[in-house]
Amino acid sequence: MPKIKNLDDLRKIKEESKDLTSARSGGKKKIIVGMGTCGIAAGAREVLTAILTELDKRGIKDVAVETTGCIGMCQYEPLVDIIRPGEPRVTYGNIKPEDVSRIIAEHMINGNIVWEKVIGRTD
């Protein structure tokens, strides 16, 4: 890593690092996949791939897909958060690639939470 000599150097590093946590940029809707070691071991890579594939298959372009590290709920990995503007953030747990299509169709597109997969919600 180069030495930071001034504010412009820091801004350049910030811009270059944006892509490290963003698998896909998009609109105000957001999907966040837990990609800590625990999440990856539980299948988060496959879930992330399924999410990106499903969004492309449906032609959905206004959804950002990001990754995050461990949040301390390893027993529920893989974790997927859905954020829709003006609605509570919903965390889904123990997600498998085959769950992705339903979560995107029901929650991301139609706004209906898939309750049997929910492990948390922020109101």
Side-chain angles (χ1 to χ4, degrees), residues 5-114:
K5 299 175 187 160
N6 55 44
L7 189 55
D8 287 333
D9 289 348
L10 184 60
R11 286 186 180 125
K12 183 178 177 186
I13 291 169
K14 178 183 175 187
E15 279 303 309
E16 290 171 354
S17 67
K18 278 185 179 179
D19 287 337
L20 296 177
T21 59
S22 179
R24 180 177 187 253
S25 58
K28 295 182 180 185
K29 295 177 186 175
K30 191 182 296 186
I31 299 173
I32 304 171
V33 181
M35 293 288 286
T37 306
C38 49
I40 292 169
R45 278 196 180 114
E46 294 80 4
V47 170
L48 177 61
T49 299
I51 289 168
L52 295 172
T53 301
E54 187 69 22
L55 292 172
D56 285 342
K57 182 174 89 174
R58 292 176 178 271
I60 299 171
K61 307 237 183 274
D62 66 339
V63 175
V65 179
E66 298 179 359
T67 62
T68 190
C70 181
I71 62 167
M73 298 195 312
C74 305
Q75 69 274 25
Y76 298 115
E77 294 284 359
L79 293 167
V80 173
D81 285 6
I82 301 289
I83 302 171
R84 290 173 39 103
E87 297 177 11
R89 176 181 186 148
V90 176
T91 300
Y92 291 103
N94 299 308
I95 299 303
K96 295 176 176 41
E98 53 268 23
D99 299 323
V100 169
S101 179
R102 180 173 176 218
I103 290 172
I104 288 179
E106 291 189 27
H107 190 169
M108 187 54 69
I109 295 172
N110 295 319
N112 300 314
I113 296 171
V114 181

